């Protein structure tokens, strides 16, 4: 639906190239954009290396500015070409697109803020859309929905974990605090409790007394057994989601010939709404 | 149901404010209480910082006493206003409320015991009730019920883990004990075995001999594969709980008056087996 | 079924006390035994402490011998009182009972072998039987059966993990070996790969080169994603086990009045074996 | 189906011995091969030990060459005996077989490349086939299929993790970089974020500032809660796979010839809906 020889023609054309991936130009644009985002992230990471020689640093700095100017032009073209600019600007991708160019300009006043250019990584989420990886989009959608519907359970769970690490942190501060400088404050002890209950176990803070080690053991086994809870939640949720998808296939698709209502079980003999006998497709099979 | 111009009026009014969150005063009281609990926990944690200057320490100390006096008054008001005081005092929240004020008074005799004021974190569990987050309460309830009904399985599992770490701990003490001072006793070796099987892996105690590392590898893979057990238990349990909830909502419990068969969907009007009209309880509702 | 005034009476009486927990004497014996096993394990662990003074060591040594003699007498009484001694001796508990007394005697020749007395921990498995914790026994049984029926899958999974750590270990040896003394041999590198893939992460061996850290990152994410496999296996297995238990309840218990066969679905109208109409109990309800 | 007295007889005989495990010779060959592969892997690992004396090194070196020559002969015999050599050469096992001999020859030019002989571990995957462990093959197949059908979800998940560690890595670089030399570059910080979110927690890089520890705590709890996602995916997937297998066994696909309804149990003789005799395919079998 491209309007030709009309005032809005150029705007539509830009929209087609930038926002869609159906035409050749659109696809080329998207791939070029993708490569530039990746290059830009690698450049930011590279620039942070402490062993970098000044020459490379200079070249990476220039590259960064070049890419930022490109992304800035792209950002304004997006605003111009879209029908409702405010909607795009306030959308998730609109905010990400803006945040992806701001750090470079900010780094003139605030040196070092260009590190936040890594936020460009979020722009890669468009990846799935560009290459029409519909299946990935559906799967991501199932995951998001499962996460959303189990969010209440997970918040309750995280809340319980937080109360627990507070109490364990305080106990460990009392038990270890006076003999072990690693447990020199309650916040640090709580940090340790989180490191322990999540089974991360850095080892930068470790109990040294027998009682401290005994309490740690309790905390570890709790964390080890309790990890089962969010996992169980997600398993049940994903399984339920998939089954609902499956079941919607299993309920017979036939409609009653009398009342035209659908939703009968596959083993139903009579319409559950009007009481008429169901003339199932099975007869024709 | 507030009794006005009667002897018990004042008591009921206090009860309404303190225990309930339906009236404006009740809600304000709850929010103020909540903020004070949080402030008090942060103050206790802050006070424990070793780098604290005496001025701040003094001010935090005063704040702590102020809050404790407030919580003490609140505690006695709760006892007075409630109908059966003993029931409140011996309830979970009653005990927590008492334990939340005791440490400050105890710290006069036993300095440092005010650390246990973090137990106030448990008072935050009232949070969900206050803000009427019914969904969270239901979800928490499902989690608790799932935990309870899988408790027997989890105890058996933890028991198995404990027997296993005892045996592995002893073996590692024999294998590493003479060459590695980190494994200098069986309790320490058992502590190490717990750190390892739960995949926490602090690294404060690590095997140094080839045999020790080989045995550790076995313990780690065991722990890695065995974590699946409590997770599987919880998954199955939560899924079962949710399904029971789902089913009880979806399939009506009524039987057809003609053929006495059950299992009709809630929206069914006619029996799906004999075609007779269903006389649902809905008619009477 | 206790034979009184008969030759085997004494043997039966001993059997009743030692093996069963129905009579008062049997229960007392079991509880005493339990306490002694626990005391003995604590004694062994305590004895291993390097800071122990000679006096306590001596007393613990004597306690150990006392308990071992008691357990030895008990072992022989079990052999005498049981009907088929060889069956008991070769059973799991028979072997454990023997291994629980041998180390003390062995320690006369081989000092230090008494550490293996911790094997007595396995005797605690009788715990559930003694206190008639039938539910725990059933749950443990479900767990064991789930483990058994998913054993083939878990072996395949562990096998895959082993092949993977071998290859990753070798690659890391090549990448890190020349610059990092921690990766000085393939077995050590494989040990590191196991520590990493199981997410234990001691930190005693860590990559120092950029390439090594990149490869580690891949291994970690693999381990993190792959843990899902045994968990998924166990979840599915336990859920299936429980559902089978549940379903056996849900299939109607009625038998066909014509052919007396059972196993009809709850919604069946005609006997699926003889074609006769089913006269369901529902009619009587 | 062995062709005797024909030109291809010798080739068929070699094929039978090398590729199949039905005849005695074939079985002996496979077991010998298996032992040699294991010996060869142990030899490579052993050779890498830094404390090895020159004599053993020499002997292991000779052994390696001996085994490699044997495997080379075997490889060419496989090519000769198979009907379509190119198909074998380009197959998974064909490539593994070639890669299993190349490193030794390569080590003449490139010393140290013989480390890659561990790739021979992949040859052990034939193990299950040799010993006719059909059950293991089926289970491995179910696992692979479950992995494949949940691959899209897992890729989306890993992608999300990667975006997240990039952003957290950059934030930690900004927060810790100037005070903590361990966070001296973004790539290192991302490496740390991966170590943390996967709950490996080496402890070689740890946050030292309060803000850094606070952010770490968020990352850890995220990692701890998010592990539930791939696990939930796999649980649902494996369960679905097993149920499909189960159902296809249990419920016959036949429809009643009278009422055309399906869903009868496999042991059903009469239609459970209309009472007519079922004309099952079993009659024809």
């Amino acid at each position: 639906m491209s309007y030709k020889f009309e005032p809005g023609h150029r705007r539509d054309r830009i929209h087609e190239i930038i926002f869609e991936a159906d035409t050749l130009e659109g696809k080329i644009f998207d791939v070029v954009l993708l490569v530039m985002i990746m290059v830009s992230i690698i450049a930011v990471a590279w620039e942070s290396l402490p062993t970098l020689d000044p020459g490379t640093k200079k070249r990476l700095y220039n590259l960064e500015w070049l890419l930022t100017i490109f992304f800035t032009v792209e950002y304004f073209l997006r605003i111009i070409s879209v029908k409702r600019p405010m909607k795009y600007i306030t959308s998730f991708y609109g905010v990400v697109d803006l945040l992806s160019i701001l750090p470079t300009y900010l780094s003139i006043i605030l040196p070092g803020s260009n590190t936040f250019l890594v936020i460009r990584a979020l722009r890669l989420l468009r990846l799935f859309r560009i290459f029409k990886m519909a299946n990935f989009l559906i799967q991501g959608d199932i995951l998001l929905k499962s996460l959303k519907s189990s969010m209440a359970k997970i918040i309750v769970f995280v809340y319980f974990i937080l109360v627990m690490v507070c109490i364990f942190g305080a106990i460990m501060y009392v038990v270890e605090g006076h003999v072990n400088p690693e447990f020199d404050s309650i916040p640090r002890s709580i940090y340790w409790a989180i490191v322990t209950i999540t089974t991360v176990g850095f080892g930068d803070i470790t109990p040294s007394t027998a009682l401290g080690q005994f309490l740690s053991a309790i905390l570890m086994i709790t964390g080890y057994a309790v990890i089962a809870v969010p996992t169980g939640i997600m398993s049940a949720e994903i399984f339920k989601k998939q089954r609902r998808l499956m079941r919607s296939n299993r309920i017979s698709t036939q409609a009653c010939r009398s009342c035209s209502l659908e939703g009968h079980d596959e083993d139903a003999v009579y319409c559950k709404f009007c009481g008429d006998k169901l003339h199932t497709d099975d007869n024709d099979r």
Side-chain angles (χ1 to χ4, degrees), chain A residues 157 161 197-199 221-233:
Chain A
F157 171 72
I161 293 287
I197 208 173
T198 57
T199 78
I221 290 176
T222 307
Y224 185 61
V226 146
I227 179 78
V229 175
T231 308
I233 296 168

Side-chain angles (χ1 to χ4, degrees), chain A residues 150-163:
Chain A
S150 56
M151 198 42 92
K153 276 206 202 72
I154 284 172
I155 286 173
V156 171
F157 171 72
V158 168
Y159 184 77
F160 165 77
I161 293 287
L162 288 181
V163 169

Side-chain angles (χ1 to χ4, degrees), chain A residues 8-284:
Chain A
H9 175 227
R10 180 158 298 179
R11 211 187 66 183
D12 286 339
R13 185 106 181 80
I14 293 171
H15 184 269
E16 212 176 278
I17 294 174
I18 295 186
F19 278 93
E20 266 143 68
D22 298 320
T23 58
L24 185 67
E25 293 99 324
K27 203 153 226 161
I28 289 171
F29 177 83
D30 280 340
V31 171
V32 167
L33 194 66
L34 216 83
V35 171
M36 288 173 90
I37 293 169
M38 280 174 175
V39 164
S40 125
I41 293 168
I42 292 167
V44 172
W46 196 352
E47 216 188 324
S48 77
L49 288 175
T51 53
L52 209 69
D53 64 293
T56 318
K57 210 176 183 90
K58 183 79 196 150
R59 249 166 282 138
L60 285 171
Y61 180 81
N62 290 341
L63 178 66
E64 198 182 296
W65 269 104
L66 205 79
L67 288 170
T68 302
I69 288 163
F70 176 86
F71 290 142
T72 311
V73 171
E74 182 220 341
Y75 180 63
F76 283 108
L77 282 180
R78 275 179 195 271
I79 292 177
I80 291 163
S81 69
V82 94
K83 267 181 192 136
R84 280 178 294 178
M86 276 322 288
K87 215 188 152 189
Y88 161 69
I89 291 169
T90 55
S91 74
F92 173 72
Y93 280 124
V95 172
V96 166
D97 288 352
L98 181 62
L99 288 176
S100 294
I101 50 175
L102 278 190
T104 314
Y105 296 107
L106 216 75
S107 71
I108 303 173
I109 321 165
L110 229 81
S113 58
N114 58 336
T115 304
F116 291 107
L117 288 173
V118 288
I119 215 161
R120 282 173 185 168
L122 285 175
R123 295 195 73 186
L124 292 176
L125 290 173
R126 275 189 180 119
L127 202 83
F128 296 128
R129 195 187 56 79
I130 295 169
F131 294 110
K132 304 250 169 220
M133 289 182 279
N135 187 28
F136 288 93
L137 281 177
I138 292 171
Q139 299 302 339
D141 203 53
I142 290 180
L143 282 185
L144 269 184
K145 273 188 189 150
S146 301
L147 265 178
K148 246 182 221 162
S149 58
S150 56
M151 198 42 92
K153 276 206 202 72
I154 284 172
I155 286 173
V156 171
F157 171 72
V158 168
Y159 184 77
F160 165 77
I161 293 287
L162 288 181
V163 169
M164 218 174 142
V165 293
C166 280
I167 290 168
F168 257 91
I171 293 172
M172 287 301 281
Y173 168 69
V174 173
V175 169
E176 292 269 329
H178 298 288
V179 291
N180 191 343
E182 290 169 355
F183 289 87
D184 64 354
S185 70
I186 292 180
R188 259 180 85 87
S189 299
I190 290 174
Y191 163 71
W192 169 86
I194 293 172
V195 169
T196 304
I197 208 173
T198 57
T199 78
V200 171
F202 279 140
D204 52 346
I205 306 173
T206 50
S208 61
T209 65
L211 183 57
Q213 291 178 346
F214 178 73
L215 289 168
S216 307
I218 293 173
L219 191 63
M220 280 173 224
I221 290 176
T222 307
Y224 185 61
V226 146
I227 179 78
V229 175
T231 308
I233 296 168
M234 281 306 296
S235 297
E237 209 57 54
I238 292 175
F239 186 63
K240 218 171 68 183
K241 275 258 131 62
Q242 281 184 337
R243 219 168 57 133
R244 198 166 297 163
L245 224 96
M246 242 160 69
R247 173 166 302 157
S248 63
N249 293 339
R250 235 181 304 136
I251 286 184
S252 82
T253 53
Q254 51 167 327
C256 171
R257 293 199 186 165
S258 300
C259 69
S260 295
L261 287 175
E262 293 185 30
H264 307 292
D265 290 353
E266 275 200 336
D267 57 353
V269 180
Y270 291 92
C271 171
K272 64 181 181 175
F273 297 109
C274 69
D276 238 46
K277 216 167 189 299
L278 289 169
H279 297 268
T280 61
D281 307 336
D282 297 316
N283 302 331
D284 315 6

